[in-house]
Amino acid sequence: MSRFIPVNRHQLYVLPPSVDEWLPEAHLARFVVEVIEQLDLSQFTSRYQGRGSVAYHPSVLLALLVYGYATGVFSSRKIERATYDSVAFRFLSADTHPDHDTHPDHDTHPDHDTLAHFRKTFLIELEDLFVQVLSLSQAMKLVKLGQIALDGTKVKANASRHKALSHGHIEKLEAQLRDEVQVLLQKAAETDAADDRDDLDLPAELARREDRLKALREAKTQIAERVKPRDEQAQKEYEAKIARRETQRQAGKKPRGPEPKAPEIGPKPDDQINLTDEESRIMPSHEGFVQGYNSQAAVDADTMLIVATRVTQQTNDKQQVEPMLAELKKLPETLGQVDALLADTGYFSAANVQACERSGIKPLIAMGRDSHPVPLAEYLAADAPKPNTGDPVENMAWYLKTREGKARYAKRKCTVEPVFGIIKQVLGFRQFSLRGLDAVTGEWKLVAMAFNLKRMYALAGA
């Protein structure tokens, strides 16, 4: 008698197998389907004109993408393969007829081209779906806006850092190619004069170099357009300094320091462009410099649900507070009112503090790095009296040093940073699949929506 359970991988079923029975009841895939079935997909379905073959329903493609991003499967090819290999993905693709004999014309395994085209086509509509999911989470009593933590993380672009060209290097390449063109023209003249044939295809070599010169000129033009806002800002600051010094002279005061120098207008030698994704930028990160985008997220401090997202080409977070405040204003009133914004020292500026005050939001933005560990005398000290001032920066600085302020600000590190850690380390999303600022903005929204659904699934089962 055998000590082992018999193994028969060719066991036949009396009745056709059901994927629905194979999938556990309390499964994330079921939750994704339940949520998507409650969303208004009219903006998706209205885009289908009814021409051509029967299309996959948007709810099926959306469920596959959302579940894929929520479980770390981002490639459309891998998602297509999973509809054959994974019970959860087969359930999402409505694969109730594995042999397809009864429905030979209706393949329930969307191919990767269909998935990739759907993701690229409906990026704008994802904005509305993201808000719908938040509203659904509010109806489930999972979220109510209050304290929001803001932070950013650098996500790699679908482009290599080694495909970037600086303005200075482009000029060197142009000079080199022009010299090569002159050498080839001279060689062509010598070959014609000698009535001799050469194995070198001179017209093709010349055309190739002319094409490269044209591409380099276009790259220089794009760099010049890119630096125009920087030049305009520098000129504005220079004129403000000149006007301030002139005002001092008219008041009979001698301006201190040397006269400000006019800014250098135009591209600098180190201004770069990436030939694969020209809208991506070189970004500093904890991994060194990466070719990517600065991906921002505002996270609810109580539930760790992402309530707003942005993607920017700017490496500095200081310019991201006001745009994020504008994103928060777009949220439905039923979600509640944001009453405090938590952010690290990278977001601090007097202008950002004042912007929060104007929006009716209490700013809790670190003004510097605190020493660790906190000295015992400072830890035990009583709160200082509130300053008698109307300056919002001074009031915020005082509040952050109070026990209440410290307790509230402490939630920032355990709110938004774990969200980025889960997205990058658990889900494995470290690089965009799409290219261009608008496209990666939509993909970051898809990542946030997938994270929220997974988080809602966990909160609902808690």
Side-chain angles (χ1 to χ4, degrees):
M1 178 176 168
S2 174
R3 294 176 176 271
F4 304 105
I5 297 173
V7 177
N8 183 0
R9 294 187 176 88
H10 304 286
Q11 176 69 46
L12 298 177
Y13 292 91
V14 176
L15 298 174
S18 170
V19 176
D20 180 65
E21 293 177 357
W22 290 351
L23 194 69
E25 285 297 325
H27 196 279
L28 176 61
R30 292 187 186 276
F31 183 78
V32 168
V33 170
E34 290 171 5
V35 170
I36 289 178
E37 286 178 347
Q38 298 180 61
L39 301 179
D40 180 8
L41 301 181
S42 57
Q43 291 188 358
F44 290 77
T45 56
S46 63
R47 297 276 294 274
Y48 290 83
Q49 301 298 324
R51 297 189 296 267
S53 58
V54 178
Y56 295 102
H57 197 278
S59 62
V60 173
L61 301 178
L62 182 63
L64 288 169
L65 284 173
V66 169
Y67 183 78
Y69 273 76
T71 55
V73 185
F74 315 112
S75 163
S76 56
R77 291 180 183 273
K78 289 183 178 179
I79 294 175
E80 177 191 3
R81 193 178 308 124
T83 62
Y84 292 90
D85 300 340
S86 165
V87 172
F89 278 96
R90 294 187 76 150
F91 171 79
L92 292 167
S93 64
D95 183 11
T96 53
H97 301 281
D99 57 0
H100 304 294
D101 289 339
T102 54
H103 294 269
D105 298 329
H106 294 176
D107 186 358
T108 56
H109 300 275
D111 61 85
H112 61 272
D113 284 337
T114 301
L115 289 163
H117 183 264
F118 179 85
R119 177 173 56 186
K120 188 175 181 179
T121 302
F122 292 102
L123 290 174
I124 296 176
E125 286 75 9
L126 288 176
E127 174 77 26
D128 178 64
L129 286 190
F130 177 80
V131 176
Q132 285 191 52
V133 170
L134 281 178
S135 297
L136 187 59
S137 69
Q138 194 271 337
M140 297 169 64
K141 301 187 184 304
L142 297 179
V143 67
K144 184 174 178 62
L145 296 184
Q147 289 190 138
I148 299 299
L150 171 62
D151 207 351
T153 184
K154 308 303 190 298
V155 179
K156 292 180 181 179
N158 188 3
S160 170
R161 182 163 59 92
H162 302 291
K163 290 293 184 180
L165 282 178
S166 68
H167 192 271
H169 189 57
I170 289 176
E171 292 185 330
K172 291 180 182 178
L173 287 176
E174 283 184 318
Q176 176 185 333
L177 288 171
R178 290 193 189 99
D179 290 342
E180 291 178 1
V181 167
Q182 293 303 317
V183 171
L184 289 171
L185 289 174
Q186 179 65 29
K187 186 174 181 61
E190 293 172 357
T191 301
D192 290 342
D195 194 20
D196 189 16
R197 290 191 175 183
D198 198 319
D199 292 336
L200 184 65
D201 189 347
L202 291 174
E205 292 293 330
L206 284 168
R208 186 165 65 87
R209 283 162 176 78
E210 290 293 347
D211 289 342
R212 290 190 65 189
L213 281 169
K214 180 181 178 182
L216 292 174
R217 284 194 297 270
E218 292 175 353
K220 285 177 66 177
T221 300
Q222 291 174 357
I223 291 177
E225 288 294 324
R226 180 184 296 177
V227 302
K228 277 184 178 180
R230 182 188 68 193
D231 292 342
E232 292 172 359
Q233 181 63 29
Q235 183 65 27
K236 191 180 298 183
E237 292 175 357
Y238 168 72
E239 292 173 356
K241 291 178 182 178
I242 294 295
R244 188 161 53 248
R245 293 174 72 88
E246 184 62 30
T247 302
Q248 291 174 343
R249 290 191 182 96
Q250 292 177 0
K253 298 179 181 179
K254 182 179 179 181
R256 299 177 62 182
E259 287 292 325
K261 294 182 180 180
E264 296 181 5
I265 304 300
K268 294 180 173 60
D270 57 350
D271 288 328
Q272 294 186 341
I273 187 170
N274 190 280
L275 301 181
T276 307
D277 183 354
E278 61 190 40
E279 295 187 356
S280 63
R281 299 289 186 270
I282 296 289
M283 298 268 175
S285 73
H286 68 279
E287 300 175 358
F289 288 92
V290 299
Q291 188 77 37
Y293 293 91
N294 186 354
S295 304
Q296 301 280 314
V299 180
D300 178 61
D302 292 330
T303 61
M304 287 177 59
L305 288 171
I306 301 173
V307 298
T309 64
R310 285 192 78 249
V311 176
T312 178
Q313 300 162 314
Q314 298 170 323
T315 59
N316 195 328
D317 289 334
K318 198 167 290 186
Q319 290 83 31
Q320 307 314 315
V321 171
E322 293 194 49
M324 188 57 79
L325 291 175
E327 292 294 323
L328 292 172
K329 283 184 179 179
K330 297 178 184 177
L331 295 175
E333 294 182 0
T334 54
L335 290 177
Q337 177 64 39
V338 177
D339 58 41
L341 180 74
L342 317 178
D344 63 25
T345 185
Y347 291 87
F348 172 72
S349 73
N352 287 340
V353 174
Q354 293 164 3
C356 290
E357 292 279 354
R358 288 194 301 271
S359 299
I361 297 174
K362 189 175 186 64
L364 297 176
I365 307 174
M367 301 176 65
R369 295 186 180 276
D370 294 330
S371 59
H372 295 283
V374 178
L376 182 61
E378 181 181 336
Y379 179 77
L380 297 175
D383 293 344
K386 184 176 181 179
N388 185 18
T389 177
D391 184 356
V393 176
E394 289 189 31
N395 286 327
M396 184 188 75
W398 166 80
Y399 184 75
L400 285 172
K401 292 185 180 297
T402 64
R403 292 180 181 275
E404 180 183 326
K406 289 177 181 178
R408 294 184 71 179
Y409 181 76
K411 287 190 174 183
R412 185 201 69 82
K413 185 173 288 188
C414 59
T415 298
V416 65
E417 291 186 10
V419 169
F420 289 149
I422 292 170
I423 288 174
K424 285 190 165 183
Q425 302 303 325
V426 179
L427 303 186
F429 185 82
R430 302 182 187 91
Q431 181 174 8
F432 288 110
S433 298
L434 305 180
R435 292 171 179 161
L437 181 59
D438 291 340
V440 299
T441 298
E443 188 174 5
W444 184 238
K445 191 75 70 176
L446 177 60
V447 171
M449 185 167 66
F451 172 87
N452 280 353
L453 279 169
K454 191 168 187 178
R455 180 63 181 159
M456 289 165 59
Y457 170 73
L459 291 172

